[in-house]
Amino acid sequence: MPLITTLKSRIVYNSRGNQTVEVDIITDDRYIGRACAPSGASVGKHEAQSFPQNEPLRAIQVLNSHLGKFIGAEASDPKAIFEIIKNIDSTPSYNIIGGSMAYALSIAAVDSASKALGIPLANLLRNNKPCKSPFPLGNFLGGGAHAGPGTPDIQEILVCPIGAADIKQALEMNFYVHRELRKLLENEDKSFTNGRGDEGAWAPRVNNDKALELAERSIKNSGFEIGSDLALGIDFAASSLWNGDNQRYEYRRQEMSRDTDEQIEFVNSLVQRYNLIYIEDPVHEEDFESMAEITRRNQKCIVTGDDMLVTNKERVIEASKYGACSGAILKVNQAGTLYEALLFSEECKRKNLKIITSHRSGESVDSHISHIAVATQSKMIKSGIVGGERVAKLNELLRLTEYGLIDGMADLSS
Ligand code: PEP
Ligand code: MG
């Protein structure tokens, strides 16, 4: 079994040009595992804290004063690494070492172990379960916290190639409609510069209604059938819209606001109007009741908690008491360690929630989440749409398919 012999960490930069931490873990003096921590722009209130005192360097200093605790540890065991990290930092939000460092340590360990054992990471994590490819949920038009002024308030309009026979076809379909959408946007706004948000989605100067209408038209113009070839989804990231002081969802760029009942009606009307198969955070992170009502009224749609669940097993248990979600975003860095994210995925399965493994808006070119998505039997993977750090995850799914680890696409219906 691979044992940790050396650890190193450093400051590197993410896709937004912000500092983050990267960890190298070497097992058996030979096998280098490496992981770089991603970071969010629309961050859930209950997520692990990224860095101690917001200082990436501080995370490195804390780790350096505890390096010896990792030497000799079993790198293939996420629980063993979790326990060492908890021994250094027992706070629930990783205030001492930072969630980013917890992420990088726990992923670098299994990365190294998979190399030592000569097997893909997905294989190491999957516990002999069958491996299917998650559907790529492409963010093809966006705004909110991921893009600048003038763009839609809605954070992400998503496309899912539900009719694709394999991952290659799925990716081709998403890229095709992304290109088609650019043409529509150029026609709509002569000053459109092909600007894109953090995840590669077009970031045009259009309001929410126009954005959805053009997204739908791009699918139809591409010759695809909505509902059988491709389907639409939305990440409202509604905690970013919510103003707790006046208890309203503020669509500032559209210069209007909605109270909770109006927000629920708005969400329901969009699900019906656009046959959405997926919605994420349609209400703010604490409103389990409204989320439950939306879930009840839209049983064919995957009603997903991101900021609401923050990859936290206890939040899933709480949300399930209300019947609040039918889908759950899995972002390892929200939890901190891989072990906690795996516990979360097991709880989601027990509660019959579909898992959607996700990147963050600030990313690296790492592709570990593709393996995690496959190993956790995720139905979908959110990885933006274009840009090196986004496509890195999608290309890894092609490789896993070529190596025979993936056998077909996930079943979205079960
Ligand atoms: C999201 O909200 O789903 C997302 C990926 O954004 P961020 O990483 O900014 O939280
Ligand atoms: Mg989200």
Side-chain angles (χ1 to χ4, degrees), residues 43-46 235-251 258-261 263-264 267 280-292 294 303-310 315 319 322 324-325:
V43 175
K45 199 155 82 188
H46 302 281
D235 181 358
F236 292 85
S239 297
S240 316
L241 304 172
W242 177 245
N243 181 342
D245 295 335
N246 65 10
Q247 300 280 298
R248 294 184 75 82
Y249 292 90
E250 293 183 336
Y251 292 76
R258 295 184 169 92
D259 68 18
T260 296
D261 288 342
Q263 175 73 2
I264 294 172
V267 169
E280 185 178 322
D281 286 346
V283 288
H284 74 82
E285 58 209 321
E286 308 290 15
D287 193 354
F288 292 117
E289 279 109 345
S290 301
M291 190 75 161
I294 293 171
V303 181
T304 301
D306 172 13
D307 294 343
M308 179 166 276
L309 301 179
V310 289
R315 298 278 295 176
Y322 296 81
C325 303

Side-chain angles (χ1 to χ4, degrees), residues 176-177 180 217-226 229-230:
Y176 195 94
V177 292
E180 185 61 34
R217 202 166 348 130
S218 73
I219 295 178
K220 291 183 176 160
N221 284 9
S222 303
F224 292 120
E225 199 71 47
I226 294 197
D229 298 322
L230 289 149

Side-chain angles (χ1 to χ4, degrees), residues 39-60:
S39 79
S42 61
V43 175
K45 199 155 82 188
H46 302 281
E47 287 191 29
Q49 180 182 324
S50 294
F51 300 109
Q53 292 123 43
N54 281 328
E55 277 293 332
L57 191 57
R58 180 83 197 114
I60 290 181

